[in-house]
Amino acid sequence: MNQYVTGSVIKRLREKLKLTQSQLADFLGVSDRTVSKWETGRGFPDIIFLEPLAKILEVSVAELFSGTEIENGNRAANLSKSNFYVCPVCGNTIFSVGKACVSCCGIQLPPLELENEPLQTENSENHKIIVQKDGDEIFVCMNHEMTKTHYISWFACVRLDSVELVKMYPEQNAEARFQNAGKCRIYAYCIKHGLFEADY
């Protein structure tokens, strides 16, 4: 059977919090001998202990499984370091201010990466974001086909202190309006080709 939570991970996280095996055992309502078995690989925590164990060790269940802790490298909450995540199963869009351990529909999601290379297709202009000032608003559009199998799912406007997201649907125009409040970055997510950006 594959180990799903390694003893070395439990031990490292426990010691980082300066907890003894006995203290961890008391929190979980098990014996310190049980915790010792987990840490030496002679046993594994039952699934009912995973959530409380992760909570006590101050990590997510996903971090407990992977053995990788996510450190907040963006404590100042600078939105220019933010990330978008999209679930390939349900299409859920999740926004984080910095690095995060994000999962949806049982899948750990990687942050979206920008499509820096221009698409080498007949329709490469379809993924160019056009940003124009329109009075007190910013008008954003793309010359995209917007079919049921190939469309822009959303536009987002990210500023240093706020984020706005406008959901798109197939067979509507790929356009959105945002409040004109100065410098910002516009993102567009195509379900086939990924994330694109433009500065304003």
Tab-separated table of all heavy atoms in Angstrom, residues 8 33 84 88 107 109 123 171:
chain	number	residue	atom	x	y	z
A	8	SER	N	7.683	11.124	8.436
A	8	SER	CA	8.673	12.204	8.516
A	8	SER	C	8.003	13.576	8.406
A	8	SER	O	8.432	14.544	9.043
A	8	SER	CB	9.734	12.047	7.433
A	8	SER	OG	9.150	12.073	6.152
A	33	ARG	N	1.908	6.405	21.817
A	33	ARG	CA	2.444	5.251	21.103
A	33	ARG	C	1.939	5.225	19.651
A	33	ARG	O	2.669	4.867	18.728
A	33	ARG	CB	1.973	3.981	21.820
A	33	ARG	CG	3.039	2.963	21.950
A	33	ARG	CD	2.599	1.911	22.907
A	33	ARG	NE	3.240	0.678	22.473
A	33	ARG	CZ	2.980	-0.485	22.942
A	33	ARG	NH1	2.066	-0.632	23.869
A	33	ARG	NH2	3.622	-1.533	22.518
A	84	PHE	N	-4.448	33.164	-10.557
A	84	PHE	CA	-5.754	32.609	-10.887
A	84	PHE	C	-5.599	31.103	-11.028
A	84	PHE	O	-4.567	30.617	-11.506
A	84	PHE	CB	-6.275	33.177	-12.216
A	84	PHE	CG	-6.642	34.633	-12.165
A	84	PHE	CD1	-5.741	35.606	-12.563
A	84	PHE	CD2	-7.893	35.025	-11.726
A	84	PHE	CE1	-6.076	36.949	-12.524
A	84	PHE	CE2	-8.246	36.365	-11.681
A	84	PHE	CZ	-7.336	37.323	-12.075
A	88	PRO	N	-10.358	22.180	-14.143
A	88	PRO	CA	-10.673	21.602	-15.443
A	88	PRO	C	-11.944	20.757	-15.440
A	88	PRO	O	-12.480	20.430	-16.487
A	88	PRO	CB	-9.453	20.720	-15.752
A	88	PRO	CG	-8.915	20.365	-14.415
A	88	PRO	CD	-9.201	21.536	-13.517
A	107	ILE	N	-8.917	17.768	-7.159
A	107	ILE	CA	-7.689	17.953	-7.939
A	107	ILE	C	-6.930	19.146	-7.386
A	107	ILE	O	-7.513	20.200	-7.168
A	107	ILE	CB	-8.013	18.231	-9.415
A	107	ILE	CG1	-8.836	17.101	-10.019
A	107	ILE	CG2	-6.753	18.466	-10.227
A	107	ILE	CD1	-9.436	17.454	-11.354
A	109	LEU	N	-4.818	22.235	-8.004
A	109	LEU	CA	-4.733	23.082	-9.192
A	109	LEU	C	-3.436	23.878	-9.229
A	109	LEU	O	-3.059	24.485	-8.234
A	109	LEU	CB	-5.907	24.069	-9.223
A	109	LEU	CG	-7.311	23.477	-9.120
A	109	LEU	CD1	-8.339	24.594	-9.100
A	109	LEU	CD2	-7.580	22.518	-10.266
A	123	ASN	N	-6.276	32.545	-36.463
A	123	ASN	CA	-7.083	33.389	-35.588
A	123	ASN	C	-6.288	33.967	-34.422
A	123	ASN	O	-6.827	34.196	-33.356
A	123	ASN	CB	-8.264	32.577	-35.039
A	123	ASN	CG	-9.169	32.086	-36.136
A	123	ASN	OD1	-9.404	32.794	-37.101
A	123	ASN	ND2	-9.658	30.868	-36.001
A	171	GLU	N	-21.276	32.437	-27.179
A	171	GLU	CA	-22.231	33.088	-28.071
A	171	GLU	C	-22.628	34.492	-27.644
A	171	GLU	O	-23.596	35.053	-28.137
A	171	GLU	CB	-23.467	32.190	-28.298
A	171	GLU	CG	-23.059	30.853	-28.921
A	171	GLU	CD	-24.210	29.883	-29.098
A	171	GLU	OE1	-25.347	30.211	-28.724
A	171	GLU	OE2	-23.957	28.789	-29.639
